[in-house]
């Protein structure tokens, strides 16, 4: 089975930074474009960022463009999200998944940005 394990979340003040990591197993990791999503209570999960299988192409939602940077290390089956200049509206549980297959979600990692 595919397993997705997110980590790196925490509590930071507005303007601070966090780096999230997602370790995937049970799949040929390099074959999949990966993405980060986030969700707050009562809202649908929303797209945050994506990266191609090779890591050569990336994309971001308008709300995080210029502040977040996605990367991956296929040798470690890991996709990361560097989050800078965090805002309170970034507060959410962050999840990783593939863009195509959309496997079962992991537990996510909580990011809380205080004012």
């Amino acid at each position: 089975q595919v397993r997705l394990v997110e980590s790196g979340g925490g509590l930071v003040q507005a303007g601070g930074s966090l780096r999230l990591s997602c370790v995937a197993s049970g799949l040929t990791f390099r074959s999949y474009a990966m993405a980060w999503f986030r969700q707050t209570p009562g809202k649908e999960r929303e797209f945050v960022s994506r990266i191609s299988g090779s890591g050569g192409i990336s994309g971001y939602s308008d709300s995080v463009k210029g502040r977040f940077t996605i990367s991956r290390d296929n040798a470690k089956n890991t996709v990361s999200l560097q989050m800078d200049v965090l805002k309170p509206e970034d507060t959410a549980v962050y999840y990783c998944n593939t863009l195509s297959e959309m496997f079962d979600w992991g537990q996510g990692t909580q990011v809380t940005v205080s004012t």
Side-chain angles (χ1 to χ4, degrees), residues 1-4 24-28 103-105:
Q1 65 175 358
V2 173
R3 188 182 183 196
L4 303 165
S25 60
L27 77 169
T28 305
F103 295 104
D104 289 347
W105 300 98

Side-chain angles (χ1 to χ4, degrees), residues 19 34 48 60 63 103:
R19 186 174 179 85
M34 298 294 296
V48 175
Y60 305 88
S63 62
F103 295 104

Side-chain angles (χ1 to χ4, degrees), residues 3-20:
R3 188 182 183 196
L4 303 165
V5 181
E6 301 92 346
S7 63
L11 173 63
V12 298
Q13 291 190 324
S17 298
L18 286 171
R19 186 174 179 85
L20 308 184

